[in-house]
Amino acid sequence: MAAAVKDINLDPTFADIDRSVRAIMEPPGLRYWLWIGFLLALTLTGGALWTNQIYNGLQVTGLGDPVMWAVYITNFVFWVGIAHSGTLISAILYLFRTRWRTAVYRAAETMTIFAVATAGLFPVIHLGRPWFFYWLAPYPNQRFLQPDFRSPLTWDFFAISTYLTISSLFWFTGLIPDVANVREIATGWRKKFYTIVALGWQGSDRQWRHFSMAYLLLAGLATPLVLSVHSVVSWDFAMGQLPGWHSTIFAPYFVAGAIFSGVAMVLTLLIPMRWVMGLEDLITPWHLDNLAKVILLTSLVVSYSYIVESFMAWYSQDPIELMTFHMRYFGPWGWMFWVMVACNCVIPLLLFSPRIRTSTVPLFIITIFVNIGMWFERFVIIAGSLATNFEPSQWRFWHPSITEMGITVGAFAWFLMLFSLFARFMPIISMTELKEGITWLKQALRQGYAKAA
Amino acid sequence: MSAEVELVGAFADEERLVHCIGQLKAAQTRFRVFSPIPSHHINSAIYTRSSFVRWFVLLGGITGIVTAFMLTIGTSLEWNLVTGGKPIASIAPYCIIGFELMVLFGGISALTSWILLANLPTFEPLSGYRPRFSSDEFGLVVRCAEADAERFESVLRDAGAQEISREAA
Amino acid sequence: MNLNLNRTLLTLALVMFAAGVGVIAFSQRPWAPRFDVQQPIPFSHRIHAGVNKIPCQYCHEYARRSSTSGVPPVQRCVGCHGSQKSGGLLPVTRPWTDTKQSNFEIRWNRVYTLPDFVRFTHRPHINAGLACQTCHGPVETMERIQPVHEINMGFCIDCHTKRGATQDCYVCHH
Amino acid sequence: MSEGLSRRSFIKLAATAGAAAAIPGCEPAARNLIPYVVPDENVIPGMPTFYATVCTECPAGCGLVARVREGRVIKLEGNPADPISRGSTCARGQAALQEVYNPDRLAGPQIRGQNGFETASWDDALKTFNGHLGTASKAGKDRVAFISGPLGPTQTKIAQLWLGAYGSNRFVTYERLADNAARVAAKASFGRDDLPIYHIDQADALISFGADFLSTWGSPVEFHRQYAAFRTPKQRHGQLTLARATYVGPLMTMTAAKCDEWVATSPGDEAAVALSVLNVLVKQGWVSRNSGIDLDALRKLVVDFEPASVAQKTGVSAESIMRMGESFGQSESAVALAGTDDPALHNAVAILNAVTGNVGKTVVFAEGGPAPASSPADVEALVKAMAAGEVDVLVVAGGNPVFSMPVAQKFNDAIGKVGFVAWLGTVPDETAAVAHLRLPTDHSLETWHDTQPRAGVHGLGQPVMVRVFDSRPLGDLLLASAHAGGAKAEQVPWENTADAVNAAWQDLGTKAGGTFDDFWEKVRRDGGHFEDVKAASVSLDAKIFQAYVPAPQPPAGLAVVAVPHIFFYDGRGANKPWLQEIPEPVTQLVWDGWVQVHPDTARSLGVSQNGIVELRTDAGVISLPALISEHVRPGVLAVPTGQGHTAYGRYANGKGANVWSLLSGWGKVAAVKARPTGDVRRLVSPLFRADQMERGIVQTISIDDLAKGVLPPSDEPVPPQPYEMYAPFAYPVHKWAMTVDANSCTGCSACVAACYAENNLHVVGKDYVEIGRVMSWIRVERYFPPKDKADEAPLMQVAPMLCQHCDRAPCEPVCPVFASAHTKEGLNQQIYNRCVGTRYCNNNCPYKVRRFNWSLPEWDEPLNLQLNPDVSVRGAGVMEKCSFCIQRITYAELNALIEKRPVRDGEVQPACVQACPSKAMTFGDEDDPQSAMMQRRIDNKLRRYLVLEEINVGPNVTYLRDIYQTKGKA
């Protein structure tokens, strides 16, 4: 704890915390609305392109045999991955009583919700007949015909929807005391809104009692869930027998990758946010440092996975497998692989230096690289393996189209828009947990760690 | 029987509050605590048994698993369509559905159960609540016979309540 | 437990009930065709099939040999009605009695329609000894044909399951 | 087809039945039901009717069976009774449908006015027609001329009578790909006017000098069947041997690729090589004694054709020549074929066949052959007359001379000199563009006609459907015109073609015996009258040795060779979308023309792949993208025929370039100057890699290993089902499966065309083929061996690749909605209307045989009338794939069910199996070990293999290895 005591800021009283967080939620200015408007425009563009795609069929994409999955599924996996770090920070670290999570977990979890919401769009977008997407869900119908529960895509459907539900519940539960807090000072429509959202929370002992238990259990449920979800996503590929997909390490490999990209995305969002909103005294370098360490660790795990994957290909001596990997490194799309290696394995090594870990600008740049690298990783695995399949006569490499690019950009805008809106209208930092944390630490200092725990 | 009153004491510090709770429990009076933060000190000071929520969650989880296997196996047998030469009711893949539904049902029952057990949603505030109890102060509301009011006021004051107000119940 | 809780529980119960009812109602597809099909000619199945006991396949002659049951050719009507005694069939018989008028066509309106992706054929069903009424209802009692069953996949597969007929999707969908 | 079905009701039926072509969706098919007034006793609505007829796509004259639904012909199949097709077709035959329903077909008569062609009524059109004819005939004799493609006996007769009525006998048939040199040689060496009948199947060795007999030369479908028999290993001298085939020519054509050896010569050198082979035979004393020819003359002829010297002159290796000589001389019976336009070669080949005693065995002249078609001389005479203004009225009924006539003839100028040109045909072509009057005639499937492709084969073509457009039979037009021209009834006794054909067949009937009605009934059912031919005894004309003129030296420098395209033929196929979309078997290119260049030549020219090359001859100049490949002789620029149309409909126009415009003479070779223009046009192929990287897609075995009974060490068979996690399912009723013989498959793609026709596949065009959106359910896997393996492999490895209907199909469990599942009869079913389009199934399909509808399928009216009503048309966004023609399976099963009998073996034949001219594919029931399909597997244990067997998905298509002859062995 010594390090923590040194780094963490113990001065703020409950009142200070409330003041600074409530300050964020003052009615925003023009610059904010311009930003939102910009994002909205991009989102709508993406929506228009999608409408056109539904109307004209998938011919507007660049897809073709054999690369029938490319950008859309890559985006799907990418966003699901992003989502994971949120749950990691809010649930898993909660169970470990990690203290540095308190300041950042609300932001991270919000990111989770919106990332899943974004990811959930892509399986529908990529469908040939999106208007029938509900056939993946079991529902009563006159033919008694239900989805095939053996299909990884059905697993996906269940996993993603469960994940979205559970993290929303968890997120919502955590929000209630804070909303009740801001309810007390809010005025006008906000007052009404917060009053309804807070469900009449007053923080009585009885409410806290059940709240705490439920919060604990939700965290307990979310923890295996987060691991399962990305494993299931990875099985979309591992279950296929396509060389480059058919690999047993995919589940842990993808989960690590997910945490990696997710935490990077958290920093990508937090660093500008704390600067714009003046949260330097709540989100301290100490937090950034810890997050950076997580990135470093997962980066090493991911690099290890790359090595194992290639080793297995070599060790199997299966010519088809070998050829797939040869093409992955040196084929027409080889550059993507090397971009990915650079971004995911080499650049993060800089984080071994504590100075970089705590200085915002370099950290920010590194996280951007990580995001790019992880997007390419998914593309290389998905599209690259498809392009070099079993049938040499049926190889073919894919060319992007405006539609795919536009929808991808639109998705990013949609995500950022939701996040920005939330950050201004809801407590983006959990006051309750900050207070709890500080109280806890004060006691810890006074009475020694063991007694307080 | 004389009329009852409520004493509302505001505390800045959690430990004092906890100490005070101990005394009130000893005095076997009825009281309620408002707190801006979840505190297991307060919780354990008041309650001996832990919340029922966990039983609801267990129930939800089990329901989830059962539903999942009934759904998957049932619908497969309804049509017995062979895919990929796998058995009609192939258990292994269905376990994944089982797991997901267990988590889903468990989570939903966690939320509903805690909200209901906590008497939420409600829009009639509990007596003795002050807005700052959601922000930076702990509140201790004691309900006692008018006669005992002074005694408990002193208890609160000694415990370190910053201010104490009295209102008719 | 106080008032709030009960109220909440009640609302919850109501919502779930409503949802359940909704789902069941939805699964019954209330928008399915139940309309009253008008025909250009006041032809009565009741008189032909009911009163006069003409077997279905006398007119719908292709049912046992083909995928379609076949609409009777005008010739078939005239076969019986052509002679002078028949009164009410001038529009049909005229082109046969006077040679100057060119052939004309009767535009019957379909009563039973199937989606394009269904490859239904009559002949196995007739040859399996199914009565036409099994799917088309008591035609011999109808002045004008009205659909009795909604012919959807549930209806087909239900019968196929009962009779142990094939359940391969490919048989009808290809 | 009887008259009961009026054109009007046909259209109505088309409307209702055409509803099957609507997009899958919940809209009801058609709102109205319109009954017949009088039912047609031949037609049961909803059930197919079959009519026998004859194909007129090329002079081979294959017998066809047309499947007709509600008055529309929807599929053509080979006529099993016909001795030529024996129930098979080629891709061109399949695509004949797309001429019947071609959207560019002439819809009604047109007269040239001030501004282009104006539609006219039939009366006006015929008045103009007969008017000009009348004035012409009054102007004097022979003022009227008639050009057409090869016509059947009866139509020829009609045309001549009609000409007679207008006092002319300028009757010329024009077929650019006709084997004129062969006729000259047959006359010179055997004194015959007809062409011989070949029996490749009875030969033990074959040498083809530029005869691409598997794609365009002679009668490809028949030759496919014969060649498959020829290539089946036989016991000779107590040892299992493979008959050796060699191809001599400048380009590795499809035929060459299926031979053991391709001897690359410069165009024109074939004759020298042939004589050199003869030299070997003479020296080795392999000349049969009893052939009764004087050996000295022969020796004198071949003396200066020592293999060594020839090799040195032509660049052909002496070993190859020796090998050819040995294989030819040592075999009991052999056959040599000549396909170029060099009479010297044809003479040499005639001698070759004769002196080895093969004339009468594998090369048979038969009595009663068809009357010879016009010779180039006749055509030239007519053109001269036209140029001299001696022709007032020219009637062109096919052949499209403007497009393909040798440039030196100056046909375009000549036709300009003709006062009035009437064009009679189906789809207006370049010749129609210069006509004054265009009359739409019936397609051969819409009218009566007959053919006599060779002695003993009389094909009868009957109309199988009511005409789609407002057209008339060619015969009827001419007869009517003849009568209008005042022809006497005793000269021209018939009113219409039907009577004429009927009359023409009277004497055949009397020859056959029995009453004519029975005969007529029979021939209409059989699609013709077929009798055994009496072989004529012929002997080599001794003068031939003196008459022999040495081959003209091939042009120094670069030479351009026009290669007849297997699908476009001389160019008539170019407006059929299927034929444009199906890749050419060897190059696998689509929707374009190209010039095939050897890498060395390309380097010296500075040409790169896809770079546009300008070809300039004394006759003309064209530009085409280059295809760099090893499969052409250095110094030779090979250009496929048929593309480069300017006025032949939407699918043909502006594709590639017309190679005929480079050739001044009747030959297919010319000296050429080539230079890269610097522009680039992408040549597009649905295939990506040409080497199979030892993945065993198309596997091979040498005849030696086969004889020894051992497998190549590289591929020990994997145990059938090594590790099974689950017990396999039982298929008690049927288990449909297929056996494919890679040894018989030539890659001709007839199966692909048949699949397009049967399963309503739509064409996507060049751009979409390039990005992998081609829709064909079956494709030809075409691979070439890597250089280092070239000696231990066939020249080209081909096999059809279609859905393997795996027992443990990887595509099935990944579909979230059961759109892909297994039936109780072992089929892997793809349910279009359940598919949501995740495309996961295709990602997981190791064979990549699934096709996704990227866009809404569209057919230009009235091509949609050809759609098969028994198969749904798939909408955008759904996956589709080979169904083993489930509609045919259910059809057969229902028939069996109703007739209370089991399904007979061979009763179900998927379209591809049915069409395959070399019968490389067999379909049947795996539960029935007696079925032909299973027998074929059992008889070829050593050659059996499964594609990608190691991934253990349990495919139901078993392949048989391609057999090759180790190089350097005879």
Side-chain angles (χ1 to χ4, degrees), chain A residues 322-372:
Chain A
L322 283 172
M323 176 51 77
T324 301
F325 277 81
H326 176 83
M327 294 306 286
R328 181 175 291 181
Y329 306 147
F330 309 111
W333 286 349
W335 63 272
M336 293 189 192
F337 177 80
W338 298 114
V339 167
M340 147 192 144
V341 169
C343 295
N344 298 350
C345 312
V346 181
I347 296 178
L349 296 181
L350 293 169
L351 295 175
F352 271 113
S353 129
R355 247 182 50 259
I356 294 183
R357 281 210 301 274
T358 47
S359 48
T360 51
V361 177
L363 198 53
F364 182 72
I365 294 167
I366 290 174
T367 57
I368 295 289
F369 273 119
V370 171
N371 286 321
I372 295 170

Side-chain angles (χ1 to χ4, degrees), chain D residues 548-820:
Chain D
Y548 170 77
V549 281
Q553 275 313 302
L558 294 177
V560 63
V561 180
V563 186
H565 189 291
I566 178 171
F567 298 147
F568 304 147
Y569 208 64
D570 63 343
R572 68 190 62 171
N575 200 36
K576 305 189 176 108
W578 293 342
L579 297 185
Q580 287 277 8
E581 181 113 332
I582 299 171
E584 193 276 331
V586 180
T587 61
Q588 291 287 324
L589 295 176
V590 299
W591 286 105
D592 207 340
W594 60 89
V595 49
Q596 202 164 345
V597 189
H598 190 276
D600 304 347
T601 320
R603 218 170 296 109
S604 58
L605 287 174
V607 180
S608 58
Q609 177 73 19
N610 297 333
I612 305 256
V613 184
E614 184 194 78
L615 305 174
R616 183 181 298 277
T617 66
D618 51 6
V621 52
I622 61 172
S623 300
L624 281 171
L627 167 68
I628 313 293
S629 92
E630 302 269 336
H631 303 133
V632 60
R633 161 105 182 187
V636 174
L637 306 173
V639 181
T641 62
Q643 292 283 40
H645 283 278
T646 55
Y648 190 39
R650 63 196 74 178
Y651 307 109
N653 292 346
K655 307 260 184 325
N658 179 7
V659 64
W660 296 126
S661 65
L662 287 185
L663 304 172
S664 56
W666 288 95
K668 303 193 192 65
V669 186
V672 66
K673 290 193 177 36
R675 66 170 189 86
T677 61
D679 308 346
V680 169
R681 185 163 86 229
R682 299 278 287 278
L683 291 171
V684 167
S685 158
L687 299 194
F688 187 86
R689 289 189 74 119
D691 72 294
Q692 51 179 325
M693 305 190 291
E694 294 166 352
R695 294 188 181 186
I697 312 289
V698 187
Q699 297 185 16
T700 58
I701 182 172
S702 74
I703 183 65
D704 313 344
D705 290 341
L706 197 61
K708 281 203 223 72
V710 298
L711 280 173
S714 55
D715 35 40
E716 308 83 10
V718 185
Q721 293 180 349
Y723 313 108
E724 274 327 308
M725 194 161 165
Y726 306 114
F729 284 86
Y731 302 93
V733 190
H734 298 293
K735 186 164 188 295
W736 300 113
M738 193 182 279
T739 308
V740 178
D741 189 343
N743 190 41
S744 306
C745 177
T746 65
C748 73
S749 303
C751 49
V752 184
C755 191
Y756 270 89
E758 174 74 17
N759 291 307
N760 302 342
L761 308 184
H762 71 280
V763 298
V764 296
K766 186 178 180 181
D767 300 346
Y768 274 14
V769 171
E770 184 172 15
I771 54 177
R773 294 179 180 180
V774 67
M775 295 306 294
S776 66
W777 287 358
I778 178 173
R779 66 170 182 268
V780 172
E781 289 280 344
R782 187 273 279 123
Y783 292 111
F784 297 114
K787 283 214 171 14
D788 52 337
K789 298 274 191 318
D791 279 0
E792 286 303 317
L795 293 164
M796 175 175 79
Q797 298 154 22
V798 284
M801 176 56 68
L802 66 164
C803 176
Q804 310 279 304
H805 293 270
C806 315
D807 292 345
R808 296 172 291 279
C811 55
E812 289 169 356
V814 298
C815 177
V817 293
F818 280 118
S820 170

Side-chain angles (χ1 to χ4, degrees), chain D residues 478-526:
Chain D
L478 295 182
L479 287 169
S481 163
H483 290 299
K488 308 274 173 305
E490 58 270 21
Q491 295 166 325
V492 186
W494 323 291
E495 281 312 309
N496 55 38
T497 327
D499 303 348
V501 172
N502 193 301
W505 282 62
Q506 292 283 356
D507 43 9
L508 269 178
T510 44
K511 250 198 273 139
T515 74
F516 180 72
D517 290 348
D518 303 348
F519 174 75
W520 191 237
E521 182 58 40
K522 181 175 182 308
V523 291
R524 276 187 303 165
R525 202 173 50 249
D526 296 354

Side-chain angles (χ1 to χ4, degrees), chain C residues 62 65-68 72-75 96 105-110 113 116-117 119 123 168-170 173-174, chain D residues 8 12 22 28 30-33 35-39 44-47 823-824 829 831 833 870 872 883 886 895:
Chain C
Y62 300 126
R65 316 183 255 157
S66 169
S67 54
T68 61
V74 180
Q75 191 189 36
W96 301 90
E105 72 212 10
I106 311 169
R107 291 184 155 273
W108 298 106
N109 292 311
R110 278 189 100 105
T113 58
D116 297 328
F117 50 72
R119 297 269 159 269
R123 52 183 189 143
D168 290 344
C169 321
Y170 238 172
H173 301 300
H174 57 259
Chain D
R8 203 159 50 97
K12 297 284 163 43
R31 283 271 167 229
N32 295 108
L33 296 168
Y36 290 120
V37 173
V38 183
I44 302 177
M47 294 297 274
T823 72
K824 302 279 174 296
Q829 58 186 0
I831 307 306
N833 48 304
D870 295 334
S872 316
S883 65
I886 178 69
N895 290 344

